[in-house]
Amino acid sequence: ELKPAQMPLMTLACTTLDQTVADPETYKSHILRYLSTDTTCYWADPSEDRVLHRKQQQAWKDLHEFCSTSAFDGSAPAKAFGANEGLLMSRARSGASKVSGLPHPDQVYTKAEEFVNTLDAWHLTALHSVTAEAKSFLVGMAVLLSHLDDGPHQSTTGTTNPFAQDVRKAVQASRVEEEFQIDNWGLVEGQHDYDRLNASIQLHSAH
């Protein structure tokens, strides 16, 4: 008996052939929206929660360094520390563009768009799948670059793609807060375990 829900590669293939090929611009737009609200750019204030901040640093520091040096020509994505700063930084940016979300340097947005525009429908679908699951454009881009034959596994400054050898690190990077809450409050069977499995399936399939 065929169970489409248990066939993630078929889902990606059908999505590509039925949707992405027909309307790639919509997929590009959806992917790029995640950059302004990228979950890896919202860090706990170390003065408020040192444990969570340390876990985020372990999972995201190398990712940010790799993306900055390999994809954004040295421009670093903005980071918000603490809930209050996150709210302030995520308000509409000043200027004619009125881009809502994190105030990344213009070059970060420009280079991200250039990268997305180089992708064919198959890679767009994969990038969209990872980005949506991780709620992070940076995680999605690094996962895709770790797979592309011509993608940089190492930046010009020697920073290695943190997901080059093991996509499980991307799964961990996408679930820092969730796993932190599970460690503190326990695992709810039938919910947290399912979310863990789904994240792993989605990222490994797209990779």
Side-chain angles (χ1 to χ4, degrees):
E1 181 183 358
L2 294 178
K3 296 181 179 180
Q6 298 178 6
M7 303 169 68
L9 292 178
M10 186 189 77
T11 299
L12 290 172
C14 290
T15 299
T16 301
L17 296 173
D18 296 340
Q19 299 181 33
T20 314
V21 169
D23 191 7
E25 295 306 317
T26 294
Y27 274 79
K28 293 177 184 180
S29 177
H30 286 172
I31 290 166
L32 290 169
R33 285 179 195 169
Y34 281 95
L35 182 57
S36 62
T37 58
D38 197 297
T39 191
T40 71
C41 295
Y42 292 93
W43 295 47
D45 187 329
S47 66
E48 298 174 356
D49 196 327
R50 288 180 296 175
V51 176
L52 177 56
H53 178 81
R54 185 169 63 250
K55 289 180 179 293
Q56 291 171 331
Q57 187 174 43
Q58 291 170 346
W60 299 341
K61 183 175 180 289
D62 290 344
L63 170 66
H64 275 245
E65 289 181 357
F66 172 75
C67 290
S68 175
T69 56
S70 68
F72 302 144
D73 288 351
S75 291
K79 288 188 286 189
F81 293 91
N84 291 334
E85 185 173 275
L87 288 172
L88 290 173
M89 292 178 68
S90 294
R91 290 177 178 173
R93 298 169 64 191
S94 60
S97 63
K98 293 292 183 182
V99 177
S100 296
L102 291 162
H104 298 304
D106 289 340
Q107 183 162 281
V108 168
Y109 284 106
T110 299
K111 290 297 182 181
E113 186 173 359
E114 289 178 359
F115 169 71
V116 170
N117 284 333
T118 66
L119 303 177
D120 59 25
W122 296 98
H123 289 104
L124 273 177
T125 302
L127 178 59
H128 184 271
S129 179
V130 176
T131 300
E133 179 61 37
K135 297 178 177 60
S136 168
F137 176 84
L138 301 186
V139 170
M141 181 173 65
V143 168
L144 206 65
L145 287 174
S146 73
H147 173 70
L148 293 172
D149 290 337
D150 56 349
H153 293 284
Q154 193 171 52
S155 71
T156 55
T157 61
T159 305
T160 302
N161 188 327
F163 310 144
Q165 303 299 325
D166 192 351
V167 74
R168 287 177 296 181
K169 292 183 179 179
V171 178
Q172 295 167 0
S174 71
R175 291 185 49 80
V176 176
E177 287 93 344
E178 290 88 343
E179 295 300 329
F180 175 74
Q181 294 299 331
I182 290 173
D183 289 342
N184 283 334
W185 305 105
L187 181 144
V188 177
E189 293 185 2
Q191 180 177 337
H192 291 144
D193 50 352
Y194 176 82
D195 290 342
R196 260 183 193 162
L197 179 61
N198 185 64
S200 180
I201 290 172
Q202 295 301 322
L203 269 66
H204 279 86
S205 299
H207 180 259

